[in-house]
Amino acid sequence: MSAALRVVRPGLFDTVQDFGRIGFMALGMPTAGAMDRIALSLANALVGNPHDTAGIEIGVMGPDLLVEADSVRVALVGPLSPSLIDGPDAPPKPIESDRSHLLKRGQILRVGMIEGSSTAYLAIAGGLAIPAFMGSLSTYSRAGIGGFDGRKLAAGDLLPLAKEAAAEGNERRLGAPFDYGKGPVRVIWGPQDDYFSAKGRKTFIESEYKVSKEADRMGIRFDGPTIEHEKGADIISDGIGPGAIQVPAAGLPIVLLGDRQTVGGYSKIATVASVDLPRFGRLLPGQTVRFEAISVAQAETLRREQEQRLKNAIAGFQVARPPGGIDLAKLYEENLIDGVVFD
Amino acid sequence: MSVRYLSCGDTAFTVEFGNEISPEINGQVMALHAAIGRAKSAGKLAGVVETVPTMRSLMVTYDPLATTRAALQPEIEALVAMGLKSTGTSRQVTIPCCYDDPEFAPDLEEVAKRTKKTPEQVIQAHLNSPFKVYVLGFMPGLAYVAGLDQGLYLPRRSQPRVRLPRSTVAIAMDMTTIYPFESPGGWHLIGRTPLWMFDKRKPQPVFLAPGDSVTFQRIDRKTHDRLAAESERGTLDWSKMVKA
């Protein structure tokens, strides 16, 4: 019998994602990949996977997954309302996110609602037994490729697991929620900032922009003051990097994300610094951002610092108490193990 | 125009060779694309992730944890300074195309009328155009193939179609294209190929590559249907259409 997670009830937009399909943009292939690489990295680290192992990106509302394996270790990372482990012979038990959990055959993981963010991630120890397509498991649903059958998860899907049972070991939890930063989004001018008037650039950098309803894995369209072009909105198509901010003739910015097209013909005023890209995987319609321009070198430094903070966060994982059980680590720490307490 | 280096954040920059569409400029783009590919294969240019050629520029993506723009750009500038000669080794690709069915070519009559030609002259002009793949994008496997006979230049349709079938051959401006999927599209539909431009069952799923020289070969509806059935089954051998 092969190990699997069965989708009892799908969420709104659950897709298998890793760090993306790298190396095929020249053939018109979008990279896709996790919108929030930090959360996926943390989820993977909690279950002992390499950071870029494919997990499930949960959009807005999570799925219910039935364990059809001897056991499986999973971790949920993201601001979720309490999820539940349900059945088969016990009442539903609320569980926390930002930590790992061990589930047994027949139990159902009922992933909660995401609160104040658009994505959360589910990592599975050992990963999914799905063949890579062009080197990646990332789902690119527009072309129906990658991930599970090239699409978001649906009721009845059987997600094959690489491992029949989870290894023995402690559950781990994140010491503190990762700090994504709350200030203005850092951007680097270009590649076509010279297509905009001085007034247009000033508008862009001094205004508040609101996430519109048109926000998905391809990109986020913002509402706000219109940005004035000087040389027109159209260019001879060139490459689109992650976080490119294109401004069509209507003057409103669109930040292009994981499922973005590889090339495009609108002028791009600036590009989101990679350190702040994961924040765009979390934005919800109605939320607002401001942009702040920095240099390429500053952006590179910020990114390296963030990577170090991510490493520190992983090094700072704590042993998690099993729900309702005894926190052995805490007992050791407090020297209560021999049962004698000296006042 | 001198080469410009344009920032695309801290994970990419674009090497822009000019602001026009010309075979010379695209030749430089493709030569740098190839030169970076060779350097990477030789273990150089650490941190470079991939390159994205377009008609007049090459985007170079990099890992900011493995290198920096300040370290990388001079290396790319050195490659440019060495002189980029077109390798001249582009693949010759033949695409069978059925023009002779109104179902496949609903815009053929209108194109003929607007370009003051007969439908047969439109087909001949398409068959005789010296096409070259300038860039892939918009969707996986969709190639912008330039070199259309000047007599066929038309702007895009004012009203794009919401749905057109996979493998439709279309023209607009100075280009032709083949739709890899059923999709919306605003170009003029003049034929259909039995080939799939994107087939995820194949180890190399994208049929065309930047730099390919392309010619169309006229086939009848019967031949189309026979080859299309092979495409459907996944048994059509692409290598027969490609000369390296």
Side-chain angles (χ1 to χ4, degrees), chain B residues 21-223:
Chain B
I21 297 173
S22 78
E24 292 72 32
I25 287 175
N26 189 247
Q28 289 180 294
V29 172
M30 294 314 299
L32 182 60
H33 176 59
I36 292 176
R38 283 194 301 272
K40 275 181 65 189
S41 302
K44 295 175 193 158
L45 296 179
V48 170
V49 177
E50 59 186 307
T51 50
V52 188
T54 66
M55 302 193 199
R56 47 68 179 254
S57 68
L58 185 75
M59 185 169 76
V60 180
T61 71
Y62 66 94
D63 178 358
L65 303 176
T67 186
T68 62
R69 169 80 174 276
L72 190 53
Q73 187 175 319
E75 293 189 69
I76 303 296
E77 283 172 358
L79 283 178
V80 174
M82 277 163 59
L84 297 167
K85 284 199 197 71
S86 192
T87 52
T89 55
S90 85
R91 304 190 308 166
Q92 304 289 316
V93 179
T94 306
I95 298 179
C97 180
C98 176
Y99 304 89
D100 300 296
D101 197 304
E103 185 201 338
F104 290 175
D107 296 337
L108 187 58
E109 290 280 350
E110 196 196 326
V111 168
K113 207 179 289 168
R114 289 176 65 182
T115 58
K116 301 190 170 59
K117 290 182 173 13
T118 63
E120 184 57 32
Q121 287 171 326
V122 171
I123 293 167
Q124 289 305 324
H126 193 252
L127 288 167
N128 292 325
S129 298
F131 288 122
K132 200 160 181 77
V133 177
Y134 268 17
V135 57
L136 281 90
F138 183 58
M139 61 179 87
L142 186 128
Y144 293 88
V145 189
L148 182 67
D149 185 294
Q150 282 194 17
L152 297 182
Y153 285 12
L154 286 174
R156 275 176 270 228
R157 289 165 55 86
S158 51
Q159 199 66 6
R161 286 189 173 84
V162 178
R163 239 185 163 79
L164 43 89
R166 180 209 301 260
S167 298
T168 295
V169 176
I171 59 169
M173 301 158 293
D174 58 346
M175 287 181 276
T176 193
T177 194
I178 305 110
Y179 289 90
F181 302 94
E182 183 181 279
S183 65
W187 293 31
H188 309 275
L189 318 183
I190 62 161
R192 196 180 301 174
T193 174
L195 300 183
W196 290 11
M197 293 297 106
F198 183 87
D199 186 345
K200 64 180 176 184
R201 298 166 298 184
K202 295 199 187 279
Q204 171 49 272
V206 179
F207 181 70
L208 290 171
D212 284 352
S213 293
V214 175
T215 43
F216 289 84
Q217 180 190 35
R218 192 175 191 170
I219 55 171
D220 59 17
R221 176 73 197 243
K222 227 173 104 184
T223 311

Side-chain angles (χ1 to χ4, degrees), chain A residues 108-128:
Chain A
I108 296 175
L109 174 67
R110 299 194 191 279
V111 180
M113 292 286 293
I114 306 175
E115 295 178 334
S117 177
S118 55
T119 55
Y121 290 83
L122 176 72
I124 299 137
L128 297 163

Side-chain angles (χ1 to χ4, degrees), chain A:
Chain A
M1 194 169 144
S2 53
L5 289 177
R6 181 183 292 276
V7 180
V8 181
R9 182 192 55 78
L12 276 185
F13 206 89
D14 316 317
T15 56
V16 175
Q17 299 292 344
D18 54 21
F19 280 5
R21 192 161 281 106
I22 307 301
F24 302 98
M25 280 181 79
L27 299 177
M29 179 62 64
T31 53
M35 297 278 274
D36 177 356
R37 66 183 151 68
I38 292 174
L40 178 60
S41 299
L42 289 170
N44 274 322
L46 283 169
V47 296
N49 287 345
H51 297 188
D52 57 351
T53 306
I56 297 171
E57 181 176 282
I58 295 160
V60 186
M61 191 182 85
D64 290 350
L65 303 167
L66 169 67
V67 177
E68 298 191 3
D70 288 344
S71 61
V72 61
R73 177 167 287 113
V74 302
L76 281 163
V77 171
L80 290 154
S81 63
S83 301
L84 302 171
I85 293 179
D86 200 350
D89 31 54
K93 182 176 67 184
I95 57 164
E96 296 167 345
S97 51
D98 294 349
R99 55 159 287 176
S100 67
H101 295 279
L102 187 69
L103 281 87
K104 300 238 159 60
R105 185 182 298 279
Q107 290 186 319
I108 296 175
L109 174 67
R110 299 194 191 279
V111 180
M113 292 286 293
I114 306 175
E115 295 178 334
S117 177
S118 55
T119 55
Y121 290 83
L122 176 72
I124 299 137
L128 297 163
I130 294 177
F133 176 75
M134 294 174 101
S136 165
L137 265 67
S138 284
T139 310
Y140 176 59
S141 52
R142 274 185 177 77
I145 60 158
F148 188 89
D149 218 11
R151 57 169 171 78
K152 65 178 181 175
L153 301 184
D157 287 348
L158 262 184
L159 285 169
L161 301 179
K163 286 164 85 178
E164 188 67 47
E168 295 283 323
N170 284 320
E171 303 312 321
R172 282 175 282 193
R173 66 179 171 86
L174 195 54
F178 193 84
D179 181 11
Y180 286 78
K182 285 197 171 60
V185 167
R186 275 72 58 96
V187 301
I188 295 118
W189 290 116
Q192 280 94 32
D193 48 314
D194 60 340
Y195 270 64
F196 298 84
S197 67
K199 187 179 152 214
R201 291 196 296 271
K202 195 166 173 313
T203 305
F204 169 69
I205 219 71
E206 291 185 354
S207 307
E208 190 170 72
Y209 285 93
K210 192 197 258 179
V211 179
S212 76
K213 287 200 181 85
E214 287 172 69
D216 62 13
R217 286 190 38 84
M218 188 172 182
I220 296 177
R221 195 181 286 261
F222 286 86
D223 290 328
T226 56
I227 299 160
E228 185 183 77
H229 289 87
E230 194 167 66
K231 292 201 230 163
D234 295 340
I235 59 165
I236 299 171
S237 290
D238 69 357
I240 302 181
I245 305 173
Q246 69 177 21
V247 185
L252 290 174
I254 300 170
V255 176
L256 294 164
L257 302 168
D259 284 0
R260 73 191 181 282
Q261 65 277 34
T262 54
V263 299
Y266 293 120
S267 50
K268 299 174 281 294
I269 191 169
T271 309
V272 175
S274 65
V275 66
D276 282 338
L277 263 183
R279 290 166 66 181
F280 285 80
R282 299 163 64 85
L283 286 173
L284 285 170
Q287 292 179 338
T288 57
V289 296
R290 285 176 172 276
F291 300 104
E292 177 191 12
I294 60 173
S295 70
V296 171
Q298 284 172 315
E300 289 167 345
T301 303
L302 287 168
R303 175 65 193 280
R304 282 193 289 276
E305 287 168 3
Q306 184 185 55
E307 209 62 23
Q308 190 55 50
R309 286 198 295 118
L310 181 60
K311 280 186 186 145
N312 295 346
I314 290 166
F317 281 169
Q318 296 163 1
V319 172
R321 193 172 57 153
I326 298 162
D327 188 342
L328 288 176
K330 198 143 203 164
L331 283 179
Y332 279 112
E333 274 169 28
E334 294 175 9
N335 194 23
L336 293 173
I337 197 69
D338 59 1
V340 181
V341 181
F342 298 99
D343 281 318

